[in-house]
Amino acid sequence: MKNLRPLFGSRRKTVLGIAMLFTLMLSACGFQLRGTADLAFKNVYIQGAKLSISRDLERTFKINGVQIASKTEDAELLLEMVSESNQKRIMSLSGGGLVREFELIYLLNFRIREASNPIWGPMQTIRGRRDFSYNDNALLGKAEEEERLNADMRQDAIREILRRLTAIKPAAKI
């Protein structure tokens, strides 16, 4: 037992050294955790259809320090959620005519305008696309995979909305 103690201390130092080396390499490559978006407005009014991403979008705004206004007069920016759709297309079939691969498509349409401007901006579309293989023998697992891919596309759409809103700069006041 006495002879094994130095071995464990040496192993601990090795693991600690590897962890420190990994941390140094990770910081040297420019990796940075995703922070909050740099939005030029502090209040947004969301109108239009209630979509599957509505709750997550509101939560994302709150995380980024943007308040959801209850009426248009209190908002600096108006966001109209127009529509969303999910599509599922067959990409490939087996020799026996069984589906082997699907394509999932998520489309989100919205438009924005500043509260001080009476004219809406152009309709904007966000499009997400994922492919996944299909097997009748793993029906439940593939249904779960499809739902995860759809959820991932919805989260990507929320991040894309934030990126587009980050590009908006307030109009210069005269």
Side-chain angles (χ1 to χ4, degrees):
M1 219 23 139
K2 281 186 174 179
N3 294 340
L4 294 177
R5 284 200 173 237
L7 180 63
F8 287 120
S10 174
R11 181 176 289 160
R12 183 176 295 152
K13 288 178 185 176
T14 303
V15 169
L16 183 61
I18 290 172
M20 289 175 55
L21 180 64
F22 179 73
T23 304
L24 179 64
M25 287 175 27
L26 194 58
S27 65
C29 75
F31 174 80
Q32 184 177 359
L33 289 174
R34 188 177 312 146
T36 59
D38 184 24
L39 300 170
F41 54 91
K42 296 296 176 206
N43 298 306
V44 65
Y45 179 75
I46 302 174
Q47 65 186 44
K50 282 289 184 192
L51 307 178
S52 64
I53 67 166
S54 295
R55 182 179 296 147
D56 289 335
L57 181 61
E58 289 177 10
R59 186 177 326 126
T60 302
F61 276 133
K62 288 178 185 175
I63 289 170
N64 285 284
V66 175
Q67 297 296 318
I68 307 298
S70 58
K71 48 188 174 177
T72 58
E73 296 82 27
D74 298 338
E76 298 173 50
L77 185 82
L78 282 71
L79 172 65
E80 182 179 20
M81 305 305 288
V82 178
S83 66
E84 72 178 340
S85 66
N86 288 300
Q87 300 171 3
K88 183 177 178 180
R89 292 194 269 186
I90 297 173
M91 285 189 61
S92 64
L93 299 171
S94 69
L98 299 174
V99 176
R100 289 292 173 217
E101 198 171 19
F102 281 109
E103 175 185 41
L104 301 175
I105 299 171
Y106 176 76
L107 296 170
L108 174 68
N109 295 308
F110 69 98
R111 61 186 185 165
I112 56 175
R113 77 175 173 96
E114 292 183 15
S116 60
N117 187 350
I119 300 173
W120 285 95
M123 185 68 64
Q124 298 186 43
T125 301
I126 295 175
R127 184 175 197 265
R129 181 184 168 283
R130 301 286 189 280
D131 298 338
F132 79 102
S133 62
Y134 184 76
N135 185 347
D136 285 332
N137 295 330
L139 189 61
L140 291 176
K142 289 300 177 177
E144 187 177 307
E145 179 183 2
E146 180 179 348
E147 182 52 40
R148 275 195 328 266
L149 290 171
N150 281 320
D152 184 46
M153 287 189 291
R154 288 190 297 270
Q155 289 300 316
D156 284 349
I158 291 171
R159 285 190 288 274
E160 180 62 24
I161 288 172
L162 279 183
R163 277 192 292 276
R164 292 183 186 190
L165 294 179
T166 302
I168 296 174
K169 301 300 175 207
K173 296 182 181 177
I174 299 174

